[in-house]
Amino acid sequence: MKYISTRGGDESLTLAQILTRGTASNGGLFVPQNWPSVDASERANLLTGEYAEIAGRLLGLFGADSLPGFDVTSAIAKAMDNFTRPVGPPVNQLDDHLWTLELMHGPTLAFKDFALAPLAEIIDQTLATQGSQATVLCATSGDTGAATVSAFARRNRLRAVVLFPNGGVSDFQRRQMTTTGAANVLPVCVDGDFDDCQRIVKALYRTPSAERYGYTAVNSINMIRILLQTAYYFRSSGLIHSSTGNSANFIVPTGNFGNIYAAYIARQLGAPINRLTVTSNDNDVLPRFFDSGRMSGQTTVKTISPSMDIQVSSNFERLLWHIKGQNGAAVETAQLELENSSTYELTDPEMQLIREDFSALKCSEADANAAMLHTWKKYGKIICPHTATAMHAALQLESASETGNGATNETVIVETAHPAKFAKAVENAIGVDPEKPSNTEAMLQATEQLEYCEATADAVQSIIDSRFGPQVN
Ligand SMILES: *Cc1c(COP(=O)(O)O)cnc(C)c1O
């Protein structure tokens, strides 16, 4: 199994080679050259068992044999030892044909944990066999940074530097990043916004320090992270299918299009999945694109679901590659147009292909509040403001299908974060302060360790130098 760039060219690498690489050399994203073939017995194996087994089998199909000398399934299981749900994220039936997939039971209470923790272990064990070291660099609006810090803290061969905007993350999220007490973690509070953090990270990759420190990306453009997330969808659609005999429609609160792309992979490999629905908050770049065929970002507005406050869905480039018939040159043309003039347009047949599998719905703040209140009143369940966008979509789709024929698909709302992480917004909506998991108490009391920094790459690099000193790999 080889990985190639969405923007063409002849770069062709193994899974081991793309493990710690960000984008392809020509700026594209790595995609598997083709889907692995999955026969009926292999498919049955992917639909049952614990998360670590399923994820290990999946990585096996996608070229994990290129990783040097360790057992991937054991590595994944080890990374989730201390999770409250080490067997994997549970599914929870709310109503006839209505389910939630509870992805928020990891240590930082967001769906990213179930993929980032195993990814950290896999990187760590790979570096051990190579005798080398690396430094994970990430810009975050909250959840990615927290999950990264949790996954990489106290690993001898790895350091983690997370950049977050001053005032741009919740107190809870900031504390998740600043209270680990781990010597290999460096949280940097940048005097700027998320885009500044992102720009600085990109600039640091192009400096001589990049090689010295072994700068590495683990954001959702990392293909191995997405393949690990694909296991969420195999396991949950398998559980639901074995209990109902039906296929599942997933509704996924979306930002960078990573999580829903993982669901799409599961569908392409034969998991019992029917439709996929993208939901957005007021930053509705994808719903507008689905309506018009024109991708065009606007100014990002702050919402109560900050992990979805985004105008460029990076992973959409991967879907575009499939839609454009794996034509790298055509993808490159579209992406350059997007970079240069903030827009591209697809043809009607291309949009039809997308709409065969996907829908997209926007959810305003008022609608999200109503969905949180509805879920609390009807089911006694508290959901976070991100998950609320998916619940809103489920309610819309339900009223739309009342006029149609009796559906035999199960609808699955993907719960991307724990409500306690966004307690203020939740309390505003339902009048109840969501209970915090007991293991967060200590974090809320602990002393914070962080650096403050102006929004330039030089300033961030000198903080990294003074903390970690020049590193020799
Ligand atoms: C990261 C995140 C999202 C967006 O996921 P993508 O893979 O970027 O689409 C949605 N909700 C929450 C709570 C998140 O942390």
Side-chain angles (χ1 to χ4, degrees):
M1 171 66 70
K2 285 292 177 63
Y3 291 82
I4 58 175
S5 168
T6 48
R7 300 189 193 177
D10 46 22
E11 198 173 20
S12 164
L13 301 174
T14 64
L15 181 105
Q17 288 170 317
I18 63 164
L19 181 61
T20 54
R21 223 168 281 206
T23 51
S25 308
N26 61 8
L29 305 185
F30 287 113
V31 276
Q33 204 156 24
N34 47 266
W35 298 128
S37 62
V38 179
D39 63 24
S41 81
E42 184 65 48
R43 186 170 311 124
N45 282 336
L46 289 169
L47 290 168
T48 47
E50 298 194 355
Y51 173 80
E53 294 162 357
I54 294 173
R57 282 192 200 109
L58 264 172
L59 288 189
L61 287 171
F62 280 93
D65 54 356
S66 62
L67 294 167
F70 63 91
D71 181 56
V72 174
T73 303
S74 320
I76 297 167
K78 179 172 176 227
M80 293 167 51
D81 249 1
N82 64 340
F83 282 32
T84 55
R85 303 290 197 286
V87 298
V91 292
N92 169 26
Q93 184 160 21
L94 285 186
D95 215 328
D96 283 348
H97 309 303
L98 183 65
W99 303 68
T100 61
L101 168 56
E102 298 190 345
L103 291 179
M104 72 308 183
H105 291 295
T108 73
L109 311 179
F111 82 82
K112 297 174 168 77
D113 292 320
F114 280 100
L116 263 173
L119 178 63
E121 184 64 34
I122 290 169
I123 292 177
D124 202 11
Q125 296 204 21
T126 302
L127 293 174
T129 65
Q130 298 166 345
S132 57
Q133 305 200 346
T135 303
V136 169
L137 255 190
C138 99
T140 181
S141 55
D143 284 347
T144 302
T148 300
V149 163
S150 166
F152 286 91
R154 296 185 179 80
R155 292 183 183 277
N156 295 331
R157 296 168 207 92
L158 284 147
R159 296 161 292 270
V161 180
V162 292
L163 273 54
F164 59 92
N166 198 349
V169 302
S170 73
D171 286 359
F172 191 97
Q173 289 172 318
R174 190 192 63 247
R175 286 187 152 275
Q176 287 184 312
M177 294 186 269
T178 59
T179 59
T180 60
N184 71 330
V185 168
L186 176 58
V188 182
C189 178
V190 173
D191 191 14
D193 59 19
F194 173 72
D195 292 331
D196 291 318
C197 297
Q198 188 94 299
R199 179 175 49 74
I200 292 170
V201 166
K202 281 191 183 154
L204 289 176
Y205 277 115
R206 292 192 300 266
T207 63
S209 301
E211 199 170 332
R212 204 148 39 88
Y213 284 92
Y215 285 154
T216 294
V218 294
N219 57 9
S220 69
I221 59 167
N222 185 303
M223 191 65 206
I224 290 95
R225 185 175 152 189
I226 297 211
L227 293 172
L228 287 159
Q229 290 175 209
T230 298
Y232 304 169
Y233 297 96
F234 264 104
R235 184 162 184 276
S236 57
S237 66
L239 286 168
I240 289 169
H241 189 264
S242 73
S243 120
T244 64
N246 294 334
S247 293
N249 294 327
F250 284 93
I251 309 182
V252 188
T254 295
N256 235 338
F257 208 77
N259 206 12
I260 197 161
Y261 183 70
Y264 173 77
I265 296 176
R267 185 184 186 284
Q268 297 311 101
L269 299 190
I273 296 172
N274 186 25
R275 286 194 71 74
L276 300 170
T277 299
V278 172
T279 60
S280 84
N281 57 28
D282 281 317
N283 296 293
D284 61 345
V285 56
L286 288 173
R288 283 187 292 106
F289 165 73
F290 274 73
D291 283 346
S292 66
R294 173 180 288 278
M295 185 74 89
S296 73
Q298 295 176 337
T299 314
T300 311
V301 295
K302 278 198 177 183
T303 71
I304 56 172
S305 41
S307 300
M308 297 159 66
D309 290 349
I310 200 167
Q311 292 295 332
V312 179
S313 277
S314 313
N315 277 297
F316 195 81
E317 180 168 344
R318 291 192 158 110
L319 185 66
L320 190 62
W321 181 74
H322 300 293
I323 298 303
K324 296 266 185 198
Q326 313 194 347
N327 179 340
V331 173
E332 179 164 50
T333 304
Q335 289 299 139
L336 290 180
E337 243 178 274
L338 190 65
E339 277 162 34
N340 297 329
S341 46
S342 306
T343 183
Y344 64 67
E345 198 164 350
L346 297 195
T347 64
D348 286 343
E350 287 169 338
M351 287 312 296
Q352 216 166 325
L353 270 181
I354 294 177
R355 291 186 191 116
E356 273 172 22
D357 297 335
F358 292 91
S359 322
L361 284 172
K362 166 188 177 169
C363 176
S364 70
E365 186 164 323
D367 287 337
N369 286 335
M372 281 187 270
L373 189 61
H374 171 86
T375 311
W376 170 237
K377 287 213 159 138
K378 185 159 185 194
Y379 304 115
K381 182 176 174 70
I382 304 182
I383 54 173
C384 88
H386 304 77
T387 308
T389 64
M391 178 56 90
H392 171 71
L395 296 170
Q396 299 285 103
L397 297 171
E398 184 189 44
S399 51
S401 74
E402 269 164 16
T403 51
N405 48 9
T408 47
N409 285 317
E410 305 296 314
T411 297
V412 188
I413 289 160
V414 174
E415 272 190 271
T416 51
H418 194 288
K421 231 178 159 169
F422 302 95
K424 246 184 228 154
V426 171
E427 191 171 3
N428 274 340
I430 69 171
V432 176
D433 185 15
E435 201 179 320
K436 295 190 172 39
S438 55
N439 56 359
T440 60
E441 259 330 296
M443 175 197 90
L444 295 172
Q445 307 300 327
T447 315
E448 293 190 67
Q449 287 170 328
L450 72 161
E451 300 286 342
Y452 292 88
C453 189
E454 60 178 282
T456 68
D458 283 348
V460 173
Q461 184 58 55
S462 69
I463 286 178
I464 295 173
D465 288 337
S466 60
R467 173 65 173 275
F468 295 130
Q471 300 287 328
V472 181
N473 277 309

